[in-house]
């Protein structure tokens, strides 16, 4: 998957699960993602996706996950968590992700390669 933020493009590897299968049918998507907690951008879908949530313990910069059954979350910092998420995929080289997303809301395009 390609994730475009402004002039930067990131490549993400998607996991093979029912949630990503459903997400792929919705692509391409350009979403206005909201800032939360200084470590993530999120978007609430109007429809629910299938879930298989687990507690990752540590979120890593570049993780793409679903919180609940309709909140797409792109994490741009690494930190410990007690929350449960359905894992969708991971950006392969997230070193420039934090600067690309900035500190406020951001427009992000998700598309298959």
């Amino acid at each position: 998957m390609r994730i475009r933020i402004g002039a930067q493009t990131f490549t993400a590897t998607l996991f093979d699960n029912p949630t990503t299968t459903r997400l792929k049918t919705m692509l391409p998507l350009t979403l206005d993602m909201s800032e939360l907690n200084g470590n993530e951008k999120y978007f609430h879908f109007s429809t629910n996706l299938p879930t298989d949530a687990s507690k990752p313990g540590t979120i890593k910069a570049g993780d793409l996950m679903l919180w609940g059954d309709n909140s797409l979350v792109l994490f741009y910092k690494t930190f410990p968590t007690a929350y449960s998420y359905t894992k969708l995929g991971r950006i392969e080289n997230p070193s420039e992700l934090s600067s690309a997303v900035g500190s406020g809301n951001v427009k992000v395009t998700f598309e298959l390669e």
Side-chain angles (χ1 to χ4, degrees), residues 15-54:
F15 300 127
D16 184 15
N17 62 44
T19 313
T20 57
T21 299
R22 174 69 176 100
L23 179 64
K24 286 181 197 178
T25 69
M26 301 164 66
L27 300 177
L29 287 171
T30 297
L31 306 174
D32 289 315
M33 300 190 80
S34 300
E35 167 62 34
L36 185 63
N37 299 326
N39 58 28
E40 67 186 75
K41 304 298 183 186
Y42 72 91
F43 179 85
H44 295 300
F45 291 117
S46 59
T47 184
N48 295 341
L49 280 73
T51 63
D52 184 19
S54 62

Side-chain angles (χ1 to χ4, degrees), residues 2 18 24 27 33-35 40 45 52 54 57-58 65-66 72-73 80 83 85 88 101 108 110-111 113:
R2 276 191 309 269
K24 286 181 197 178
L27 300 177
M33 300 190 80
S34 300
E35 167 62 34
E40 67 186 75
F45 291 117
D52 184 19
S54 62
T58 299
M65 298 189 185
L66 188 73
L72 180 67
V73 185
Y83 289 101
Y85 299 91
L88 302 176
V101 296
V108 181
F110 299 88
E111 56 196 1
E113 293 190 273

